[in-house]
Amino acid sequence: MFLTQTPEWQTLGESLRTAMLSLFAEQGLSEDNFALVVLTKAADGSAQGFAHRGEDPLYPCSLVKSFHLLHALAALEEGRVEPHGELDRALRDMIRYSSNTATNYAIDCITGTTGDTLLQGAEYLDWVSKRERLNRFFWALGWPEWEGANISQKLMDDTRYGREAQFAGAEGANLNALPPLAPARLLWELFHGDLPLSPPVKARAQAILRRDPRGAEADNPAYQTCEFLAGDLPAGVEVWSKAGHNLWTGDAKTSWFKHDMARFAAPGRRPLTVVLMTQGQALAQQHPAAFPAIGRLIWDMSEEITRV
């Protein structure tokens, strides 16, 4: 694991977990329906923090879009994908507004596949192999945190049909999954690590993930800020994030999830990376103020340990 849990972080993490369970039980938070990763860059340059259920593969909703963003940018830089305006627009909109249609266009461009109608035999196996490029790109990075991950499925607003249903499996055995430590590792590598991207391309990815919690779009639900972890942070905190949010989809395995992966930075403090993944109708639909309150709690409780 790239993350070191020092005694100080273990103490803070357990305090955070206890406080969250106490303060947000009435909003639906329970021991077994959330996972949390919190980390910062220590003085020696290493990643130090805390993880609760960090290695459990969970249905990730739109958190996968941050992975597709970096893969697409790498493919463009390597010449595996031809640059064009529609792809630029899709990469922007799949992050800024969490567009599933934009994401699926980017997936088609990266993998050379299309979806929907049924396929059989060798044609289907060839299609699966191409789609699995999405996973192979990250397996090749050698991250232990990728164990149990799968991002090969397209993003759907409801149930799947045709080859997309074939690929997901009759019982959803091949649905997308991410251990919470995987998105934490992604943000760490983008800002502090050794991703196979040039500095200008890293800067482009960071710019696309940048949020303005008090900007003109902050109240737009599709912008996924005001009802997520950054929604109640103090003025002046910089935010980079990608959320995931599913209500009822027609499939119990993909319904009622709310997640966020975010990086917060402010003067006088080391940047803080937070990944929160939750399941349940109460948190996903009935209590939109819970995530902003949790984000503020994490920010406030981590002040001492992140102070420069």
Side-chain angles (χ1 to χ4, degrees):
M1 184 169 69
F2 80 106
L3 173 65
T4 300
Q5 292 194 162
T6 64
E8 293 81 7
W9 267 107
Q10 187 67 33
T11 299
L12 173 60
E14 290 297 338
S15 297
L16 273 172
R17 190 180 65 84
T18 300
M20 288 169 60
L21 288 169
S22 173
L23 293 171
F24 301 101
E26 292 186 0
Q27 286 76 36
L29 195 72
S30 64
E31 184 75 37
D32 62 353
N33 75 350
F34 85 100
L36 176 69
V37 180
V38 186
L39 66 94
T40 193
K41 184 178 181 180
D44 65 1
S46 66
Q48 295 183 1
F50 171 83
H52 167 66
R53 297 181 63 206
E55 296 178 345
D56 292 359
L58 304 172
Y59 186 72
C61 308
S62 294
L63 296 192
V64 298
K65 294 171 182 175
S66 58
F67 291 83
H68 297 321
L69 171 66
L70 296 191
H71 188 176
L73 293 177
L76 285 165
E77 187 167 38
E78 295 165 8
R80 291 189 282 117
V81 173
E82 286 294 321
H84 58 285
E86 281 297 273
L87 181 55
D88 291 343
R89 189 166 69 98
L91 295 181
R92 179 198 67 194
D93 290 351
M94 78 173 183
I95 301 298
R96 184 178 296 178
Y97 306 118
S98 204
S99 167
N100 287 346
T101 306
T103 306
N104 293 343
Y105 181 78
I107 287 173
D108 286 347
C109 290
I110 295 168
T111 64
T113 63
T114 55
D116 301 322
T117 55
L118 289 166
L119 296 174
Q120 301 299 331
E123 189 177 12
Y124 174 69
L125 294 176
D126 180 64
W127 179 88
V128 168
S129 179
K130 289 178 180 177
R131 183 66 74 79
E132 283 290 345
R133 291 172 184 168
L134 300 173
N135 287 324
R136 289 196 295 269
F137 177 81
F138 289 96
W139 273 120
L141 297 179
W143 298 352
E145 296 78 15
W146 191 251
E147 184 70 35
N150 176 34
I151 60 170
S152 60
Q153 305 299 329
K154 281 191 171 181
L155 282 291
M156 300 294 175
D157 296 311
D158 52 33
T159 53
R160 298 167 185 273
Y161 301 90
R163 73 188 76 166
E164 299 296 344
Q166 282 178 282
F167 193 30
E171 302 299 324
N174 196 38
L175 287 169
N176 286 339
L178 280 176
L181 280 164
R185 179 77 185 259
L186 187 81
L187 285 174
W188 171 264
E189 296 294 341
L190 177 59
F191 285 89
H192 305 293
D194 193 26
L195 280 172
L197 299 172
S198 66
V201 175
K202 279 188 180 181
R204 181 181 176 187
Q206 292 170 8
I208 292 173
L209 288 164
R210 184 74 175 266
R211 303 276 167 175
D212 183 355
R214 288 172 171 76
E217 293 191 283
D219 291 332
N220 180 350
Y223 192 63
Q224 294 184 323
T225 300
C226 65
E227 294 182 357
F228 290 84
L229 292 175
D232 190 36
L233 293 180
V237 178
E238 295 181 276
V239 177
W240 297 260
S241 70
K242 180 69 200 83
H245 195 192
N246 275 20
L247 300 178
W248 178 247
T249 67
D251 181 350
K253 294 183 179 66
T254 63
S255 296
W256 309 123
F257 291 91
K258 189 171 184 177
H259 310 319
D260 205 355
M261 53 182 289
R263 181 180 189 266
F264 306 139
R269 293 182 59 167
R270 299 188 188 98
L272 188 71
T273 296
V274 182
V275 176
L276 176 64
M277 301 178 71
T278 71
Q279 183 177 14
Q281 185 175 0
L283 285 164
Q285 183 181 52
Q286 298 165 352
H287 298 284
F291 261 58
I294 292 171
R296 183 59 181 263
L297 177 72
I298 293 170
W299 179 255
D300 289 345
M301 288 186 66
S302 63
E303 179 178 4
E304 183 175 351
I305 204 169
T306 59
R307 190 181 300 132
V308 176

